[in-house]
Coordinates of all heavy atoms in Angstrom, one line a residue:
M22 N 11.4 1.3 -24.3 CA 10.1 1.7 -23.8 C 9.9 0.9 -22.4 O 10.2 -0.2 -22.3 CB 9.0 1.3 -24.8 CG 7.6 1.6 -24.3 SD 6.3 0.9 -25.2 CE 6.2 2.1 -26.5
R23 N 9.3 1.7 -21.5 CA 9.1 1.1 -20.2 C 7.7 0.4 -20.2 O 6.8 0.8 -20.8 CB 9.0 2.2 -19.1 CG 10.3 2.9 -19.0 CD 10.4 3.9 -17.9 NE 9.1 4.5 -17.5 CZ 9.0 5.4 -16.6 NH1 10.0 5.8 -15.9 NH2 7.8 6.0 -16.3
E24 N 7.7 -0.8 -19.5 CA 6.4 -1.5 -19.5 C 5.9 -1.5 -18.0 O 6.7 -1.8 -17.1 CB 6.6 -2.9 -19.9 CG 5.3 -3.7 -19.9 CD 5.5 -5.2 -20.4 OE1 6.4 -5.4 -21.2 OE2 4.7 -6.0 -20.0
I25 N 4.7 -1.1 -17.8 CA 4.1 -1.1 -16.5 C 3.1 -2.2 -16.5 O 2.3 -2.4 -17.4 CB 3.3 0.2 -16.3 CG1 4.2 1.5 -16.4 CG2 2.6 0.2 -15.0 CD1 5.3 1.6 -15.3
V26 N 3.2 -3.0 -15.4 CA 2.3 -4.1 -15.2 C 1.5 -3.8 -13.9 O 2.0 -3.3 -12.9 CB 3.1 -5.4 -14.9 CG1 2.2 -6.6 -14.5 CG2 3.9 -5.8 -16.1
V27 N 0.2 -4.0 -14.0 CA -0.7 -3.7 -12.9 C -1.3 -5.0 -12.3 O -1.8 -5.8 -13.1 CB -1.9 -2.8 -13.3 CG1 -2.8 -2.5 -12.2 CG2 -1.3 -1.5 -13.9
K28 N -1.2 -5.1 -11.0 CA -1.8 -6.3 -10.4 C -2.7 -5.9 -9.3 O -2.5 -5.0 -8.5 CB -0.7 -7.2 -9.7 CG 0.4 -7.7 -10.7 CD 1.4 -8.5 -10.0 CE 2.5 -9.0 -10.9 NZ 3.6 -9.7 -10.2
E29 N -3.9 -6.6 -9.2 CA -4.8 -6.4 -8.1 C -4.2 -6.9 -6.8 O -3.7 -8.0 -6.7 CB -6.1 -7.1 -8.4 CG -7.2 -6.7 -7.4 CD -8.6 -7.1 -7.8 OE1 -8.7 -7.8 -8.8 OE2 -9.6 -6.7 -7.2
L30 N -4.4 -6.0 -5.8 CA -3.8 -6.4 -4.5 C -4.5 -7.7 -4.0 O -5.7 -7.9 -4.0 CB -4.1 -5.3 -3.4 CG -3.5 -5.5 -2.0 CD1 -2.0 -5.6 -2.1 CD2 -4.0 -4.4 -1.1
A31 N -3.6 -8.6 -3.4 CA -4.1 -9.8 -2.8 C -3.1 -10.1 -1.7 O -2.0 -9.5 -1.6 CB -4.0 -11.0 -3.8
P32 N -3.5 -10.9 -0.7 CA -2.6 -11.2 0.4 C -1.2 -11.7 -0.1 O -0.2 -11.4 0.6 CB -3.3 -12.3 1.2 CG -4.8 -12.0 0.9 CD -4.8 -11.5 -0.5
S33 N -1.1 -12.3 -1.2 CA 0.2 -12.8 -1.7 C 1.1 -11.7 -2.1 O 2.3 -11.9 -2.3 CB -0.1 -13.8 -2.9 OG -0.7 -13.1 -4.0
L34 N 0.6 -10.5 -2.3 CA 1.4 -9.3 -2.6 C 1.7 -8.4 -1.4 O 2.1 -7.3 -1.6 CB 0.7 -8.5 -3.7 CG 0.4 -9.2 -5.1 CD1 -0.3 -8.4 -6.0 CD2 1.8 -9.7 -5.7
R35 N 1.5 -8.9 -0.2 CA 1.6 -8.1 1.0 C 3.0 -7.5 1.1 O 3.2 -6.3 1.4 CB 1.3 -8.9 2.2 CG 2.3 -10.0 2.5 CD 1.9 -10.9 3.6 NE 1.6 -10.4 4.9 CZ 2.5 -10.3 5.9 NH1 3.7 -10.8 5.8 NH2 2.1 -9.8 7.0
D36 N 4.1 -8.3 0.7 CA 5.4 -7.7 0.8 C 5.7 -6.6 -0.2 O 6.3 -5.6 0.1 CB 6.5 -8.8 0.6 CG 6.5 -9.9 1.7 OD1 6.0 -9.6 2.8 OD2 7.0 -11.0 1.5
D37 N 5.1 -6.7 -1.4 CA 5.2 -5.6 -2.4 C 4.4 -4.4 -1.9 O 4.9 -3.2 -2.1 CB 4.6 -6.0 -3.7 CG 5.5 -7.1 -4.4 OD1 6.7 -7.3 -3.9 OD2 5.1 -7.7 -5.4
F38 N 3.3 -4.6 -1.3 CA 2.5 -3.5 -0.7 C 3.3 -2.7 0.3 O 3.4 -1.5 0.3 CB 1.2 -4.0 -0.1 CG 0.3 -3.0 0.6 CD1 -0.6 -2.2 -0.1 CD2 0.4 -2.9 2.0 CE1 -1.4 -1.3 0.6 CE2 -0.4 -1.9 2.7 CZ -1.3 -1.2 2.0
L39 N 3.9 -3.5 1.3 CA 4.7 -2.9 2.3 C 6.0 -2.2 1.7 O 6.3 -1.1 2.2 CB 5.1 -4.0 3.3 CG 4.0 -4.5 4.2 CD1 4.5 -5.6 5.1 CD2 3.4 -3.3 5.0
L40 N 6.6 -2.8 0.8 CA 7.8 -2.2 0.1 C 7.4 -0.9 -0.5 O 8.1 0.1 -0.3 CB 8.4 -3.1 -0.9 CG 9.5 -2.5 -1.8 CD1 10.7 -2.2 -0.9 CD2 9.9 -3.5 -2.9
F41 N 6.3 -0.9 -1.2 CA 5.8 0.4 -1.8 C 5.6 1.5 -0.7 O 6.1 2.6 -0.8 CB 4.6 0.2 -2.6 CG 4.1 1.4 -3.3 CD1 4.8 2.0 -4.3 CD2 2.9 2.1 -2.8 CE1 4.3 3.2 -4.9 CE2 2.5 3.3 -3.3 CZ 3.2 3.8 -4.4
F42 N 4.8 1.2 0.3 CA 4.4 2.2 1.3 C 5.6 2.5 2.3 O 5.7 3.6 2.8 CB 3.1 1.8 2.0 CG 1.9 2.2 1.2 CD1 1.2 1.2 0.5 CD2 1.5 3.5 1.0 CE1 0.2 1.5 -0.3 CE2 0.4 3.8 0.2 CZ -0.3 2.8 -0.5
D43 N 6.4 1.5 2.5 CA 7.6 1.8 3.4 C 8.7 2.6 2.8 O 9.3 3.4 3.4 CB 8.2 0.4 3.9 CG 7.3 -0.3 4.9 OD1 6.3 0.3 5.5 OD2 7.5 -1.5 5.2
S44 N 8.9 2.4 1.5 CA 10.1 2.9 0.8 C 9.9 3.8 -0.4 O 10.7 4.6 -0.7 CB 11.0 1.8 0.4 OG 11.3 0.9 1.5
V45 N 8.7 3.6 -1.1 CA 8.6 4.3 -2.4 C 7.6 5.5 -2.3 O 7.8 6.6 -2.7 CB 8.1 3.3 -3.5 CG1 7.9 4.0 -4.8 CG2 9.2 2.2 -3.6
A46 N 6.4 5.2 -1.8 CA 5.2 6.1 -1.9 C 5.5 7.5 -1.4 O 5.2 8.4 -2.1 CB 4.0 5.5 -1.1
F47 N 6.1 7.7 -0.3 CA 6.3 9.0 0.3 C 7.7 9.3 0.6 O 8.0 10.0 1.5 CB 5.4 9.2 1.5 CG 3.9 9.0 1.2 CD1 3.3 7.9 1.6 CD2 3.3 9.9 0.4 CE1 1.9 7.7 1.3 CE2 1.9 9.7 0.1 CZ 1.3 8.6 0.5
A48 N 8.6 8.8 -0.3 CA 10.0 9.1 -0.1 C 10.3 10.6 -0.1 O 11.2 11.0 0.6 CB 10.8 8.3 -1.2
D49 N 9.5 11.3 -0.8 CA 9.7 12.8 -0.9 C 8.9 13.5 0.1 O 9.0 14.8 0.1 CB 9.4 13.2 -2.4 CG 7.9 13.0 -2.8 OD1 7.3 12.1 -2.1 OD2 7.5 13.6 -3.7
N50 N 8.1 12.9 0.9 CA 7.2 13.5 1.8 C 7.0 12.7 3.1 O 6.0 12.0 3.2 CB 5.9 13.9 1.2 CG 5.1 14.9 2.1 OD1 5.4 15.0 3.3 ND2 4.1 15.5 1.5
P51 N 8.0 12.6 3.9 CA 7.9 11.7 5.1 C 6.8 12.0 6.0 O 6.3 11.1 6.8 CB 9.3 11.9 5.8 CG 10.0 13.0 5.1 CD 9.3 13.3 3.9
D52 N 6.2 13.2 6.0 CA 5.1 13.5 6.8 C 3.8 12.7 6.5 O 2.9 12.5 7.3 CB 4.7 15.0 6.7 CG 5.8 15.9 7.4 OD1 6.5 15.4 8.2 OD2 5.8 17.1 7.0
W53 N 3.8 12.1 5.3 CA 2.6 11.3 4.9 C 3.0 9.8 4.9 O 2.1 9.0 4.5 CB 2.2 11.7 3.5 CG 1.6 13.0 3.3 CD1 1.4 14.0 4.2 CD2 1.2 13.6 2.1 NE1 0.9 15.1 3.7 CE2 0.7 14.9 2.3 CE3 1.1 13.1 0.8 CZ2 0.2 15.7 1.4 CZ3 0.6 14.0 -0.2 CH2 0.1 15.2 0.1
S54 N 4.1 9.5 5.4 CA 4.6 8.1 5.4 C 3.8 7.1 6.2 O 4.0 5.9 6.1 CB 6.0 8.0 5.8 OG 6.2 8.3 7.1
D55 N 2.9 7.6 7.0 CA 2.0 6.7 7.8 C 0.7 6.4 7.2 O -0.2 5.8 7.8 CB 1.8 7.2 9.2 CG 1.0 8.5 9.3 OD1 0.8 9.2 8.2 OD2 0.5 8.9 10.3
C56 N 0.5 6.8 5.9 CA -0.8 6.7 5.2 C -1.2 5.3 5.0 O -2.3 4.9 5.4 CB -0.7 7.4 3.9 SG -2.0 7.1 2.8
Y57 N -0.4 4.5 4.3 CA -0.7 3.1 3.9 C -2.1 3.1 3.2 O -2.7 2.0 3.2 CB -0.6 2.2 5.1 CG 0.8 2.0 5.5 CD1 1.3 2.8 6.6 CD2 1.6 1.1 5.0 CE1 2.6 2.7 7.0 CE2 2.9 0.9 5.4 CZ 3.4 1.7 6.4 OH 4.7 1.6 6.8
C58 N -2.5 4.2 2.6 CA -3.8 4.3 1.9 C -4.9 3.7 2.7 O -5.7 2.9 2.2 CB -3.6 3.7 0.5 SG -4.7 4.5 -0.7
S59 N -5.0 4.0 3.9 CA -5.9 3.4 4.8 C -7.1 4.3 5.3 O -7.9 3.8 6.2 CB -5.2 2.8 6.0 OG -4.5 3.9 6.7
A60 N -7.2 5.5 4.9 CA -8.1 6.4 5.4 C -9.6 5.9 5.3 O -10.4 6.3 6.1 CB -8.0 7.8 4.7
Y61 N -9.9 5.1 4.3 CA -11.2 4.5 4.2 C -11.5 3.4 5.2 O -12.7 3.0 5.3 CB -11.5 4.0 2.8 CG -11.4 5.0 1.7 CD1 -10.3 5.0 0.8 CD2 -12.3 6.1 1.6 CE1 -10.2 6.0 -0.2 CE2 -12.2 7.0 0.7 CZ -11.2 7.0 -0.3 OH -11.1 8.0 -1.2
H62 N -10.5 3.0 5.9 CA -10.6 1.9 6.8 C -10.5 2.3 8.3 O -11.2 1.7 9.1 CB -9.6 0.8 6.5 CG -9.7 0.3 5.1 ND1 -10.6 -0.7 4.7 CD2 -9.0 0.5 4.0 CE1 -10.5 -0.9 3.5 NE2 -9.5 -0.2 3.0
F63 N -9.6 3.2 8.6 CA -9.4 3.6 10.0 C -8.7 5.0 10.0 O -8.1 5.4 9.0 CB -8.6 2.6 10.8 CG -7.2 2.3 10.2 CD1 -6.1 3.0 10.5 CD2 -7.0 1.2 9.3 CE1 -4.9 2.7 10.0 CE2 -5.8 0.9 8.8 CZ -4.7 1.6 9.1
T64 N -8.7 5.6 11.1 CA -8.1 6.9 11.3 C -6.6 6.8 11.6 O -6.3 6.0 12.5 CB -8.8 7.7 12.4 OG1 -10.2 7.8 12.1 CG2 -8.2 9.1 12.5
N65 N -5.8 7.4 10.9 CA -4.3 7.3 11.1 C -3.9 8.3 12.2 O -3.4 9.3 11.9 CB -3.6 7.6 9.8 CG -3.8 6.6 8.7 OD1 -4.2 5.5 9.0 ND2 -3.5 6.9 7.5
N66 N -4.2 8.0 13.4 CA -3.8 8.9 14.5 C -2.9 8.2 15.6 O -2.7 8.8 16.6 CB -5.0 9.6 15.1 CG -6.0 8.6 15.7 OD1 -5.7 7.4 15.8 ND2 -7.1 9.2 16.2
K67 N -2.5 7.0 15.3 CA -1.7 6.3 16.3 C -0.3 6.1 15.9 O 0.4 5.3 16.6 CB -2.4 4.9 16.5 CG -3.8 5.0 17.1 CD -4.4 3.6 17.3 CE -5.8 3.7 17.7 NZ -6.5 2.4 17.8
G68 N 0.1 6.7 14.8 CA 1.5 6.6 14.4 C 1.7 5.6 13.3 O 0.9 4.8 13.0
K69 N 2.9 5.7 12.7 CA 3.2 4.9 11.6 C 3.2 3.4 11.9 O 2.6 2.6 11.1 CB 4.6 5.2 11.0 CG 5.0 4.5 9.7 CD 6.2 5.0 9.1 CE 6.5 4.2 7.8 NZ 7.5 4.8 7.0
A70 N 3.8 2.9 13.0 CA 3.8 1.5 13.3 C 2.4 0.9 13.4 O 2.2 -0.2 12.9 CB 4.6 1.3 14.6
E71 N 1.5 1.6 14.1 CA 0.2 1.1 14.2 C -0.6 1.1 12.9 O -1.3 0.2 12.6 CB -0.6 1.9 15.3 CG -2.0 1.4 15.6 CD -2.0 0.0 16.2 OE1 -1.0 -0.5 16.7 OE2 -3.1 -0.6 16.1
S72 N -0.4 2.2 12.1 CA -1.1 2.2 10.8 C -0.6 1.1 9.9 O -1.3 0.5 9.2 CB -0.8 3.6 10.1 OG -1.4 4.6 10.8
R73 N 0.7 0.9 9.9 CA 1.3 -0.2 9.2 C 0.7 -1.6 9.6 O 0.3 -2.4 8.7 CB 2.8 -0.2 9.3 CG 3.6 -1.2 8.4 CD 5.1 -1.1 8.8 NE 5.9 -1.8 7.8 CZ 6.2 -3.1 7.8 NH1 5.7 -3.9 8.7 NH2 7.0 -3.6 6.8
R74 N 0.7 -1.8 10.9 CA 0.1 -3.1 11.4 C -1.3 -3.3 11.0 O -1.7 -4.3 10.5 CB 0.3 -3.1 12.9 CG -0.1 -4.5 13.5 CD -0.2 -4.4 15.0 NE -1.3 -3.6 15.5 CZ -2.6 -3.9 15.4 NH1 -3.0 -5.1 14.8 NH2 -3.6 -3.1 15.8
E75 N -2.1 -2.2 11.1 CA -3.6 -2.3 10.8 C -3.8 -2.5 9.3 O -4.6 -3.3 8.9 CB -4.3 -1.1 11.3 CG -4.5 -1.1 12.8 CD -5.3 0.0 13.3 OE1 -6.3 0.4 12.6 OE2 -5.1 0.5 14.5
A76 N -3.0 -1.8 8.5 CA -3.1 -1.9 7.0 C -2.7 -3.3 6.6 O -3.4 -4.0 5.8 CB -2.2 -0.9 6.3
L77 N -1.6 -3.8 7.2 CA -1.2 -5.2 6.9 C -2.2 -6.2 7.2 O -2.5 -7.2 6.5 CB 0.1 -5.5 7.6 CG 0.8 -6.8 7.2 CD1 1.0 -7.0 5.8 CD2 2.1 -7.0 8.0
S78 N -2.9 -6.0 8.4 CA -4.0 -6.9 8.8 C -5.1 -6.9 7.7 O -5.6 -8.0 7.4 CB -4.5 -6.5 10.1 OG -5.6 -7.3 10.5
L79 N -5.4 -5.7 7.2 CA -6.5 -5.6 6.2 C -6.1 -6.3 4.9 O -6.9 -7.0 4.2 CB -6.8 -4.1 5.9 CG -7.5 -3.4 7.0 CD1 -7.5 -1.9 6.7 CD2 -8.9 -3.9 7.2
V80 N -4.8 -6.2 4.5 CA -4.3 -6.9 3.3 C -4.4 -8.4 3.5 O -4.9 -9.1 2.7 CB -2.8 -6.5 3.0 CG1 -2.3 -7.3 1.9 CG2 -2.8 -5.0 2.6
D81 N -3.9 -8.9 4.7 CA -3.9 -10.3 5.0 C -5.3 -10.9 5.0 O -5.5 -12.1 4.6 CB -3.2 -10.6 6.3 CG -1.7 -10.4 6.2 OD1 -1.1 -10.4 5.1 OD2 -1.0 -10.3 7.3
E82 N -6.3 -10.1 5.4 CA -7.7 -10.5 5.5 C -8.4 -10.3 4.2 O -9.6 -10.5 4.1 CB -8.4 -9.8 6.6 CG -7.8 -10.2 8.0 CD -8.4 -9.2 9.1 OE1 -9.2 -8.4 8.8 OE2 -7.9 -9.3 10.2
D83 N -7.7 -9.8 3.2 CA -8.3 -9.5 1.9 C -9.4 -8.5 2.0 O -10.4 -8.5 1.3 CB -8.8 -10.8 1.2 CG -8.9 -10.6 -0.4 OD1 -8.3 -9.7 -0.9 OD2 -9.7 -11.3 -1.0
R84 N -9.2 -7.5 2.9 CA -10.2 -6.4 3.1 C -9.7 -5.1 2.5 O -10.4 -4.1 2.5 CB -10.5 -6.3 4.5 CG -11.3 -7.5 5.0 CD -11.6 -7.5 6.5 NE -12.2 -6.2 6.9 CZ -11.9 -5.6 8.1 NH1 -11.0 -6.2 8.9 NH2 -12.4 -4.5 8.4
M85 N -8.4 -5.0 2.2 CA -7.8 -3.8 1.5 C -7.8 -4.0 0.0 O -7.4 -5.1 -0.4 CB -6.4 -3.5 2.0 CG -5.7 -2.4 1.3 SD -6.0 -0.8 2.0 CE -5.1 -0.8 3.5
H86 N -8.4 -3.1 -0.7 CA -8.6 -3.4 -2.2 C -7.9 -2.2 -2.9 O -8.0 -1.1 -2.6 CB -10.0 -3.5 -2.5 CG -10.7 -4.6 -1.8 ND1 -10.6 -5.9 -2.1 CD2 -11.6 -4.5 -0.7 CE1 -11.3 -6.6 -1.3 NE2 -11.9 -5.8 -0.4
G87 N -7.2 -2.6 -4.0 CA -6.5 -1.7 -4.8 C -5.7 -2.4 -5.8 O -5.7 -3.6 -6.0
F88 N -4.8 -1.6 -6.5 CA -3.9 -2.2 -7.5 C -2.5 -1.6 -7.3 O -2.3 -0.4 -7.0 CB -4.4 -1.8 -8.9 CG -5.8 -2.3 -9.2 CD1 -6.9 -1.6 -8.8 CD2 -6.0 -3.5 -9.8 CE1 -8.2 -2.1 -9.1 CE2 -7.2 -4.0 -10.1 CZ -8.3 -3.3 -9.7
L89 N -1.5 -2.5 -7.5 CA -0.1 -2.1 -7.5 C 0.4 -2.1 -8.9 O 0.1 -3.0 -9.7 CB 0.7 -3.1 -6.7 CG 0.6 -3.1 -5.2 CD1 1.2 -4.3 -4.6 CD2 1.3 -1.8 -4.6
A90 N 1.1 -1.0 -9.2 CA 1.7 -0.9 -10.5 C 3.2 -1.3 -10.4 O 3.9 -0.8 -9.4 CB 1.6 0.5 -11.1
Y91 N 3.7 -2.0 -11.3 CA 5.1 -2.5 -11.3 C 5.9 -2.0 -12.5 O 5.3 -2.0 -13.6 CB 5.2 -4.0 -11.3 CG 4.6 -4.6 -10.0 CD1 3.3 -4.8 -9.9 CD2 5.5 -5.1 -9.0 CE1 2.7 -5.4 -8.7 CE2 5.0 -5.7 -7.9 CZ 3.6 -5.8 -7.7 OH 3.1 -6.4 -6.6
E92 N 7.1 -1.7 -12.3 CA 8.0 -1.4 -13.4 C 9.3 -2.3 -13.2 O 9.9 -2.2 -12.0 CB 8.4 0.0 -13.6 CG 9.3 0.3 -14.7 CD 9.6 1.8 -14.8 OE1 9.6 2.5 -13.8 OE2 10.0 2.2 -15.9
S93 N 9.7 -3.0 -14.1 CA 10.9 -3.9 -13.9 C 10.7 -4.8 -12.7 O 11.7 -5.0 -12.0 CB 12.2 -3.1 -13.9 OG 12.3 -2.4 -15.1
G94 N 9.5 -5.2 -12.4 CA 9.3 -6.1 -11.3 C 9.2 -5.5 -9.9 O 9.0 -6.2 -8.9
K95 N 9.3 -4.1 -9.8 CA 9.3 -3.4 -8.6 C 8.0 -2.6 -8.5 O 7.6 -1.9 -9.5 CB 10.5 -2.5 -8.4 CG 11.8 -3.4 -8.4 CD 13.0 -2.4 -8.3 CE 14.3 -3.3 -8.3 NZ 15.5 -2.5 -8.4
P96 N 7.4 -2.5 -7.3 CA 6.2 -1.7 -7.2 C 6.5 -0.2 -7.3 O 7.4 0.3 -6.6 CB 5.7 -2.1 -5.8 CG 6.8 -2.6 -5.0 CD 7.7 -3.2 -6.0
V97 N 5.8 0.5 -8.1 CA 6.1 1.9 -8.4 C 4.8 2.8 -8.2 O 4.9 4.0 -8.3 CB 6.7 2.2 -9.8 CG1 8.1 1.5 -9.8 CG2 5.8 1.7 -10.9
G98 N 3.7 2.2 -8.1 CA 2.4 2.9 -8.0 C 1.3 2.2 -7.3 O 1.4 0.9 -7.2
W99 N 0.3 2.9 -6.8 CA -0.8 2.3 -6.1 C -2.1 3.1 -6.5 O -2.0 4.3 -6.7 CB -0.6 2.5 -4.6 CG -1.8 2.2 -3.8 CD1 -2.6 3.1 -3.2 CD2 -2.4 0.9 -3.5 NE1 -3.6 2.5 -2.5 CE2 -3.5 1.1 -2.7 CE3 -2.0 -0.4 -3.8 CZ2 -4.3 0.1 -2.2 CZ3 -2.8 -1.4 -3.3 CH2 -3.9 -1.2 -2.5
W100 N -3.1 2.4 -6.7 CA -4.5 2.9 -6.9 C -5.4 2.2 -6.0 O -5.5 1.0 -6.0 CB -4.9 2.8 -8.3 CG -6.2 3.4 -8.6 CD1 -6.6 4.7 -8.7 CD2 -7.5 2.7 -8.8 NE1 -7.9 4.9 -8.9 CE2 -8.5 3.6 -9.0 CE3 -7.8 1.4 -8.8 CZ2 -9.8 3.3 -9.2 CZ3 -9.1 1.0 -9.1 CH2 -10.1 2.0 -9.2
S101 N -6.1 3.0 -5.1 CA -7.1 2.4 -4.2 C -8.4 2.3 -4.8 O -8.8 3.2 -5.6 CB -7.1 3.2 -2.9 OG -8.0 2.7 -2.0
R102 N -9.2 1.3 -4.5 CA -10.6 1.3 -4.9 C -11.5 1.0 -3.8 O -11.2 0.5 -2.8 CB -10.7 0.3 -6.1 CG -10.6 -1.2 -5.6 CD -10.9 -2.1 -6.8 NE -10.8 -3.5 -6.3 CZ -11.9 -4.3 -6.1 NH1 -13.1 -3.9 -6.4 NH2 -11.7 -5.5 -5.7

């Protein structure tokens, strides 16, 4: 049986957040890969690198809120709040 662990996003989980959005979240749809679940914070119209930088800043400042889901210690899901 698979066990899913859910953790609330915190600055200490920034690397997992980036791993999820850089490699997992939109692996099947690269057109959405600049999302970083940031639409509630800023408009994603400056490209992936800028969206990534701005989302990371929000995570580091504890202003991005949500939950990461893990399976076998790896991030596999995201829920924004």
Side-chain angles (χ1 to χ4, degrees):
M22 179 190 276
R23 299 183 333 178
E24 182 178 334
I25 301 293
V26 175
V27 177
K28 298 179 183 179
E29 188 167 7
L30 182 64
S33 62
L34 297 176
R35 72 190 301 262
D36 291 341
D37 290 347
F38 176 86
L39 290 177
L40 175 63
F41 179 73
F42 281 102
D43 287 345
S44 304
V45 179
F47 300 109
D49 62 341
N50 192 344
D52 291 338
W53 291 0
S54 67
D55 65 344
C56 169
Y57 292 92
C58 210
S59 58
Y61 297 112
H62 301 281
F63 58 86
T64 304
N65 295 342
N66 62 2
K67 298 179 184 175
K69 184 173 181 168
E71 183 64 18
S72 292
R73 185 182 194 274
R74 187 191 66 72
E75 288 187 32
L77 186 56
S78 178
L79 291 169
V80 171
D81 286 343
E82 295 168 5
D83 200 22
R84 293 178 46 219
M85 174 84 71
H86 302 285
F88 299 88
L89 285 165
Y91 294 80
E92 180 179 24
S93 300
K95 297 178 183 173
V97 295
W99 167 258
W100 180 74
S101 180
R102 67 173 183 113

